[in-house]
Amino acid sequence: MHGIFTSESVFLGHPDKVADQVSDAILDAYLIADKQSRVAVETLVSATRLVVAGEVTSKANLDVPSIVRGVLTDIGYSSNSSDFNGFQYDVDVLLKEQDRNIANSVRRSYETRNDSASDELDLQGAGDQGTVFGYACDETPELMPLPVSVAHQLAERVDDARRQRILPFLGPDGKTQVSIQYRDGHPVNIRTVVLSCHHQPGFRQDLIVPAVHEHVVNPCFEQLAVETDNCRVIVNPQESFDVGGPAADTGLTGRKIIVDSYGGMARHGGGAFSGKDPSKVDRSGAYAARWIAKNVVAAGLAKRCEVQITYVISMARPTDVAIECFGTESVPLFVLETAIKRVFDLRPAAVIRDLDLLRPIYRKTACYGHFGRELPEFSWECTNRVESLLHGIREANAIKVS
């Protein structure tokens, strides 16, 4: 790779991220009440109305409007918000049970119906067809592409500064954008950083810019291993950003899937994550693919790794698993693929078991990316299969390991 690559992130109060957080908060609430809940929830938020729609099958009966308003208050859209008050608008709840054909496909897999099931992990089929991708690279300690990693760091710093009242004049909405120069496949310097920060009405831009530099940009740059001296930093290029959030723009679940994943550096299967329980392979399969890719890079078996997994509705076993290391692999790809298939069980029930995905962990994933955050909840970020992968390589007699 040679040239400039750009990625973006968004703040907690961006309308699309508001929708993602509401959907995942509802999912968490159902899992707390009934961990076998089947949930597929979409949220649409506008200036005066929020709609929650989708399919839920659960023993729980939840007060969804209260969950919604709790999320909005936590983000910062409360009675003190000048342009959007989460307590003063309507919440429409349009939920129905999961379609029986889909439910039956999950409960009784293709393998079960065709007498090819070998154990109980074959009983649960995939909730839909789909191709998912996972990616890892050695550009950052968390094995993520640097552009999206820096974009997330800046967004989180702005949100923290606002919520801690360090920058109390900021509102919840906003975006970051980071452009990085690559040379021979390696990031060498940050070329441009853009921060668009929602602010209180009447607050002067000449006061916002130096404060954001001091409390957000400079601390972030101090931690980076690439050159930042010649970086162009642009704060609030628009004349004013005093109306933000759903008052300014409509938000919808699943409209920030590139922000959620790898910032465009890797491919995406197209399925959104938020609002879906882990029987949906759009989510659990993508987490498993990241888990594999990160362990491959952490094991030193490649500098860049992209994993593609293909599922079919009702089938427990993926139809295909493909590995691409872009010429950076240290062992032949067919050997690596063989080891991966031995070490990782990618059936939905196995992924849910191995990554402990029936926990109420999902709202935390709904901002600053689903990957690259080494938190206790993010089990797919663990590099706990490195030794197993290396053992699989040794078994194949592909390389000599001293």
Side-chain angles (χ1 to χ4, degrees):
M1 181 177 177
H2 200 86
I4 297 171
F5 196 89
T6 302
S7 297
E8 70 168 358
S9 184
V10 297
F11 302 171
L12 283 169
H14 185 281
D16 293 331
K17 276 294 144 201
V18 170
D20 285 342
Q21 289 171 86
V22 167
S23 292
D24 272 337
I26 293 169
L27 168 60
D28 282 347
Y30 274 110
L31 290 176
I32 289 170
D34 174 12
K35 63 190 291 187
Q36 300 304 321
S37 295
R38 294 280 185 261
V39 180
V41 171
E42 312 281 348
T43 300
L44 168 69
V45 57
S46 67
T48 60
R49 198 173 212 88
L50 187 145
V51 180
V52 175
E55 298 77 47
V56 174
T57 299
S58 177
K59 297 176 183 177
N61 184 16
L62 302 182
D63 183 355
V64 172
S66 292
I67 296 169
V68 169
R69 293 188 174 101
V71 172
L72 295 171
T73 300
D74 185 57
I75 291 171
Y77 293 124
S78 62
S79 58
N80 295 323
S81 178
S82 60
D83 48 16
F84 178 80
N85 183 347
F87 287 95
Q88 295 179 349
Y89 74 111
D90 296 325
V91 177
D92 295 332
V93 181
L94 307 174
L95 298 176
K96 65 181 183 65
E97 285 200 355
Q98 185 180 47
D99 175 78
R100 63 180 176 83
N101 292 316
I102 297 174
N104 289 338
S105 294
V106 174
R107 285 195 296 263
R108 190 165 178 261
S109 70
Y110 174 91
E111 288 85 350
T112 303
R113 300 195 309 275
N114 288 273
D115 297 324
S116 59
S118 60
D119 58 50
E120 63 179 13
L121 295 176
D122 275 325
L123 301 181
Q124 180 174 331
D128 201 352
Q129 74 174 44
T131 296
V132 296
F133 290 89
Y135 181 79
C137 61
D138 62 358
E139 295 178 16
T140 64
E142 64 274 17
L143 305 184
M144 284 288 285
L146 187 60
V148 74
S149 178
V150 177
H152 286 322
Q153 289 177 46
L154 291 167
E156 189 167 10
R157 283 183 179 276
V158 172
D159 280 329
D160 287 346
R162 171 181 60 86
R163 300 176 90 180
Q164 294 169 17
R165 308 293 295 170
I166 296 170
L167 301 177
F169 52 83
L170 293 184
D173 195 2
K175 290 183 175 183
T176 64
Q177 185 171 279
V178 176
S179 301
I180 292 182
Q181 175 78 47
Y182 281 77
R183 189 174 299 124
D184 297 325
H186 302 285
V188 292
N189 63 74
I190 301 183
R191 292 287 297 271
T192 309
V193 164
V194 182
L195 297 100
S196 292
C197 302
H198 178 202
H199 59 85
Q200 293 176 1
F203 208 87
R204 289 164 43 194
Q205 298 285 2
D206 62 344
L207 299 177
I208 295 173
V209 173
V212 170
H213 272 266
E214 178 183 356
H215 295 287
V216 176
V217 178
N218 294 344
C220 179
F221 280 9
E222 289 171 1
Q223 298 181 358
L224 299 178
V226 295
E227 182 187 329
T228 61
D229 292 345
N230 297 315
C231 176
R232 184 185 185 195
V233 179
I234 304 168
V235 178
N236 283 16
Q238 67 274 55
E239 185 175 355
S240 181
F241 191 179
D242 60 4
V243 178
D249 196 7
T250 301
L252 187 65
T253 299
R255 206 158 53 182
K256 286 290 176 285
I257 58 175
I258 300 304
V259 170
D260 286 342
S261 52
Y262 307 100
M265 187 70 78
R267 285 170 282 198
H268 195 293
F273 307 143
S274 289
K276 298 176 181 177
D277 76 80
S279 72
K280 281 73 174 173
V281 291
D282 281 342
R283 181 167 222 158
S284 55
Y287 291 174
R290 163 64 178 175
W291 184 36
I292 296 170
K294 187 170 183 179
N295 275 269
V296 167
V297 175
L301 297 170
K303 293 182 179 297
R304 295 170 61 201
C305 180
E306 184 181 73
V307 177
Q308 180 185 22
I309 309 171
T310 302
Y311 289 96
V312 174
I313 189 168
S314 192
M315 294 185 70
R317 298 175 183 273
T319 56
D320 293 287
V321 180
I323 314 299
E324 173 60 73
C325 295
F326 311 95
T328 69
E329 62 272 13
S330 60
V331 297
L333 277 180
F334 77 90
V335 174
L336 182 56
E337 288 182 6
T338 299
I340 286 170
K341 290 174 181 177
R342 289 177 179 174
V343 170
F344 295 92
D345 189 338
L346 298 176
R347 292 173 290 178
V351 171
I352 291 169
R353 176 200 65 190
D354 292 342
L355 296 181
D356 197 10
L357 295 181
L358 293 179
R359 295 169 294 152
I361 59 174
Y362 295 105
R363 185 186 164 192
K364 190 170 282 190
T365 69
C367 207
Y368 319 125
H370 292 243
F371 309 116
R373 300 165 63 199
E374 296 176 336
L375 304 173
E377 297 86 351
F378 289 50
S379 51
W380 49 94
E381 293 298 315
C382 294
T383 53
N384 54 354
R385 297 291 174 93
V386 165
E387 290 304 320
S388 297
L389 275 173
L390 293 173
H391 179 70
I393 298 294
R394 289 193 293 268
E395 278 191 334
N397 296 317
I399 59 172
K400 293 182 179 179
V401 180
S402 58

